[in-house]
Amino acid sequence: MADFYKAILFLNYGLLLSVILLGAVRFRVLNNKEKQYFYCIAFLFFIELLNLVLPYVFNLNDTSFLYPLYIAGEFFLLSALFIRKLNLPAYFLGLVAVVASGFMISKYSFDYPGNADIAKVISNIIIICLSGFTLIREIKDTSGQNRFLVTDASIFFYYSVSVFIFIVQHQIAYLSEHDYYIIFSANNILSGILYISFLYTFIKLKK
């Protein structure tokens, strides 16, 4: 099972790199709102790159300090994306920025909350709600201008299922190594589906 997990993990790294390269090529054909998708995937690529480089290049095996940055950055970028797509008032962006910044300051300065996973679950639920409302609006829209509909659906699917997996994982007191690999492999497969949706959308984009 460990070999299967590693195979899926490195496949995802390849998919993520492909998304970044193709997104950079197609960046010019994106409108201002759509560029936010590239910023989101670029941030994720940056975090994954640090997780690879720090242990193998700088011999820094504990990269857990990146986790709060990942939670806050993911929350801000995706929330901002859907707030802009929903045409919500600008103060919602300010509120999201304050929450993300407040979490990072609280975690890095005072180590609060002690369990950052709580913030991860809450941020994911907010992302699910925002992406869900966006999907409903896009499905009702008959103009055919929803070029990222597949990606939005994949984001909603990924965060909906992954937050369920996350909660179930923490409800089980004792998990065997085999069970952990199964859970992480399932989450990596979901990530792969999300990256493929980005690839599909970038490939289909036209000027």
Side-chain angles (χ1 to χ4, degrees), residues 65-97:
F65 67 92
L66 293 173
Y67 192 44
L69 173 64
Y70 163 67
I71 294 173
E74 175 191 53
F75 170 70
F76 173 74
L77 289 171
L78 283 174
S79 296
L81 167 66
F82 292 116
I83 286 172
R84 294 184 69 186
K85 292 194 74 171
L86 289 168
N87 295 316
L88 296 177
Y91 65 79
F92 278 92
L93 286 174
L95 179 61
V96 166

Side-chain angles (χ1 to χ4, degrees), residues 117 120-126 128 156-170 187 190:
D117 291 341
K120 173 65 173 171
V121 171
I122 294 173
S123 69
N124 280 14
I125 291 174
I126 294 173
I128 290 168
F156 177 78
F157 174 73
Y158 170 75
Y159 283 94
S160 296
V161 178
S162 64
V163 77
F164 172 76
I165 293 175
F166 196 80
I167 292 173
V168 169
Q169 170 192 333
H170 283 74
N187 191 67
L190 291 173

Side-chain angles (χ1 to χ4, degrees), residues 90-105:
Y91 65 79
F92 278 92
L93 286 174
L95 179 61
V96 166
V98 168
V99 171
S101 301
F103 167 69
M104 289 184 62
I105 294 172

